Amino acid sequence: MPLGDYRLPSHVSFNTLYDQVPADTYQGEFDFNPFAFDVGMMGVMFCKEFQQLTRTAPMLAPLLDRMTTRNVDQRFKASEALQFFEQYVVPLTTEDQMSSRALRPNKGYVAYDYYDRWRGLDPKFVEKWVAFREPPVPRHVQFLRDICEYRFTAVKVAHSE
């Protein structure tokens, strides 16, 4: 079975650290791809530490968005994330951009799926990398997340036909 086709029941995804979980199973899904979920978790962890640095190191925006995208089929595989990092982030980010002067502590963390990592970036850069940009969370998705915060509702949504 190809790794992209592998699935686990959604309740298994709840056995992770809450603040590192991508929202893959927050809308009442039946199952999930644990390999894509792992990349999403790593992306969420990176967002917690580095998303505020995208104005300093713009190549982090497409990397982080593609690691955490809601469209799991478009999410980087682990090897693709590493390749993108080595091919684009490292060579296109100067030492000065990653110096201790540029790395500011993350004050006032905004959840990874609500933070606009592209705000303030050069419009030409944004246009070039637009295919990697994650759109805002749609209202209907947020509504499902809100009602699925309650275990009873999440189970009902996941098992309705």
Side-chain angles (χ1 to χ4, degrees):
M1 173 186 306
L3 294 180
D5 293 341
Y6 192 77
R7 297 284 184 267
L8 289 175
S10 60
H11 68 85
V12 174
S13 72
F14 305 150
N15 297 327
T16 56
L17 298 173
Y18 179 76
D19 63 343
Q20 297 174 358
V21 177
D24 295 4
T25 57
Y26 281 8
Q27 296 83 218
E29 288 81 353
F30 295 113
D31 58 15
F32 73 107
N33 178 328
F35 301 104
F37 191 82
D38 284 348
V39 172
M41 282 185 66
M42 185 177 295
V44 171
M45 289 173 29
F46 287 168
C47 285
K48 281 187 79 169
E49 295 297 323
F50 304 115
Q51 69 184 3
Q52 79 282 3
L53 301 176
T54 54
R55 284 190 216 127
T56 305
M59 288 309 300
L60 289 174
L63 173 67
L64 297 174
D65 271 17
R66 194 47 69 97
M67 288 181 76
T68 59
T69 181
R70 288 184 307 279
N71 185 341
V72 178
D73 291 336
Q74 289 186 351
R75 186 175 293 162
F76 278 145
K77 292 173 180 52
S79 59
E80 293 169 337
L82 177 61
Q83 180 181 2
F84 187 91
F85 181 77
E86 291 175 342
Q87 188 173 355
Y88 295 105
V89 179
V90 172
L92 298 175
T93 305
T94 66
E95 274 188 52
D96 197 41
Q97 287 173 310
M98 287 302 189
S99 71
S100 59
R101 292 185 313 274
L103 299 175
R104 300 177 301 279
N106 190 355
K107 297 178 183 173
Y109 173 73
V110 175
Y112 78 93
D113 48 351
Y114 292 95
Y115 187 88
D116 185 1
R117 290 176 276 282
W118 301 79
R119 192 181 79 223
L121 298 183
D122 183 318
K124 290 180 183 177
F125 175 86
V126 173
E127 184 179 333
K128 178 178 180 178
W129 294 98
V130 70
F132 289 75
R133 189 173 187 175
E134 181 70 0
V137 177
R139 294 176 91 187
H140 71 280
V141 170
Q142 184 55 55
F143 175 73
L144 282 171
R145 288 180 182 179
D146 289 345
I147 65 172
C148 288
E149 281 185 16
Y150 304 97
R151 181 139 180 85
F152 174 79
T153 310
V155 169
K156 288 294 183 191
V157 170
H159 297 303
S160 64
E161 292 183 24

